[in-house]
Amino acid sequence: MVQRGYHRPRPPSPHAIKLNLILIFAFFFLVFIFYTRQWHLLDDQRKQQPFSDEHSQTDRMPDAELWDAPPSYGLRSCVKPTSRYKAATGWDHYMTVRSNGGLNQMRTGIADMVAVARIMNATLVIPQLDKRSFWHDSSTFSDIFDELHFIETLQEDVKIVKELPQELANVPRARKHFTSWASTSYYEDMTQLWKEYQVIHVAKSDSRLANNDLPLDIQRLRCRALYHALRFSPPIESFGKVLSMHDADTAEAGGAA
């Protein structure tokens, strides 16, 4: 009986190992090239598809729906006064204001000063716009905003005049830098100034009333002033409409091409 001997398997030669590594590398390289090419094709399709989809959807969408206001997501307008709110009466105390900052800061500051004039029972003189610190522009209030609309929109809230009465032009004035972030009670205390002065000049309008737990009607007054009363002047409104029409025509021409 012949006993079979045990043979240990021969290890692969260096040449075989090298060949296997080359084949594995070649396989992964081909896979990489294939998926890279597919990715570029998909990317080109994505760049073209939204454009065509957008135009096809726009063509099918009614104009009323296209230009309708965006959804409110449950948010409601907060500008109407409550039933407890009383209309403004004639006040013989006057407040002049020099607005400061850029245009948006001045708008917010003017809305604050409308609320302050209401709290202090003052007649508000149309504010002067900043011409030195940031604005660097010679424009007046009526150049930027619709002055008559501003006065008429707020006539039930605050009495507003274009300028001081002639007899008060040279009377002594209390000049104030109101404390920023002050509460309603602070401005109620400031009414003590009316005992000595008929005119208060506010050197800066950035009193920042928004986060000071204001009464609901005062907060709503700020909103009315900022979003309803401070409308741009007719020349600016007209120019804005021309620009928007031009942009719409340009977009339509681009879509047709």
Side-chain angles (χ1 to χ4, degrees):
M1 183 174 180
V2 179
Q3 185 179 4
R4 294 181 181 179
Y6 174 75
H7 295 281
R8 189 182 301 176
R10 295 178 59 184
S13 66
H15 177 74
I17 294 175
K18 185 176 180 181
L19 181 61
N20 288 333
L21 289 175
I22 291 175
L23 290 174
I24 293 172
F25 175 79
F27 172 76
F28 282 107
F29 180 74
L30 290 174
V31 171
F32 173 77
I33 292 297
F34 174 78
Y35 280 104
T36 302
R37 225 175 131 189
Q38 292 296 318
W39 183 85
H40 281 297
L41 290 173
L42 290 173
D43 187 53
D44 290 340
Q45 292 176 1
R46 281 195 299 266
K47 289 179 179 178
Q48 297 174 5
Q49 189 67 24
F51 182 80
S52 59
D53 286 350
E54 179 182 349
H55 280 276
S56 61
Q57 292 175 7
T58 302
D59 292 339
R60 296 192 302 267
M61 187 180 297
D63 287 346
E65 184 179 348
L66 178 63
W67 297 109
D68 198 9
S72 63
Y73 299 105
L75 300 177
R76 295 179 292 107
S77 174
C78 62
V79 297
K80 292 184 179 179
T82 67
S83 58
R84 300 184 302 274
Y85 192 71
K86 297 180 180 180
T89 57
W91 299 314
D92 60 353
H93 304 120
Y94 292 82
M95 180 181 294
T96 60
V97 177
R98 184 181 297 277
S99 301
N100 62 294
L103 181 58
N104 190 56
Q105 184 178 354
M106 286 193 288
R107 287 181 69 252
T108 305
I110 291 169
D112 280 353
M113 290 299 105
V114 168
V116 170
R118 170 78 188 197
I119 296 170
M120 296 185 63
N121 297 328
T123 294
L124 180 66
V125 180
I126 288 292
Q128 301 173 359
L129 301 187
D130 186 3
K131 295 180 173 62
R132 293 177 295 180
S133 57
F134 294 97
W135 190 228
H136 293 296
D137 190 278
S138 60
S139 300
T140 64
F141 185 97
S142 60
D143 293 327
I144 304 298
F145 302 111
D146 189 333
E147 188 174 77
L148 182 60
H149 176 77
F150 180 72
I151 294 173
E152 291 180 347
T153 301
L154 298 173
Q155 62 184 351
E156 298 295 323
D157 305 293
V158 177
K159 184 180 178 182
I160 303 175
V161 295
K162 294 183 178 182
E163 56 187 16
L164 274 175
Q166 189 64 35
E167 63 271 17
L168 298 179
N170 298 315
V171 299
R173 306 180 188 183
R175 300 183 179 273
K176 290 295 298 181
H177 285 79
F178 288 139
T179 301
S180 295
W181 310 107
S183 63
T184 307
S185 59
Y186 168 83
Y187 293 102
E188 290 173 346
D189 291 341
M190 288 295 105
T191 59
Q192 298 295 323
L193 292 170
W194 299 133
K195 295 179 179 179
E196 298 183 30
Y197 300 95
Q198 197 171 353
V199 180
I200 295 177
H201 176 68
V202 184
K204 294 177 65 178
S205 62
D206 57 345
S207 56
R208 301 180 178 90
L209 288 176
N211 301 316
N212 298 317
D213 194 25
L214 297 177
L216 180 60
D217 274 318
I218 296 298
Q219 192 66 277
R220 290 186 175 187
L221 172 56
R222 291 182 65 254
C223 291
R224 284 198 295 280
L226 189 59
Y227 298 112
H228 286 195
L230 282 171
R231 186 173 67 185
F232 285 117
S233 62
I236 295 178
E237 289 279 341
S238 299
F239 184 63
K241 290 178 181 178
V242 171
L243 286 180
S244 63
M245 291 175 62
H246 173 74
D247 291 342
D249 292 342
T250 302
E252 185 178 349

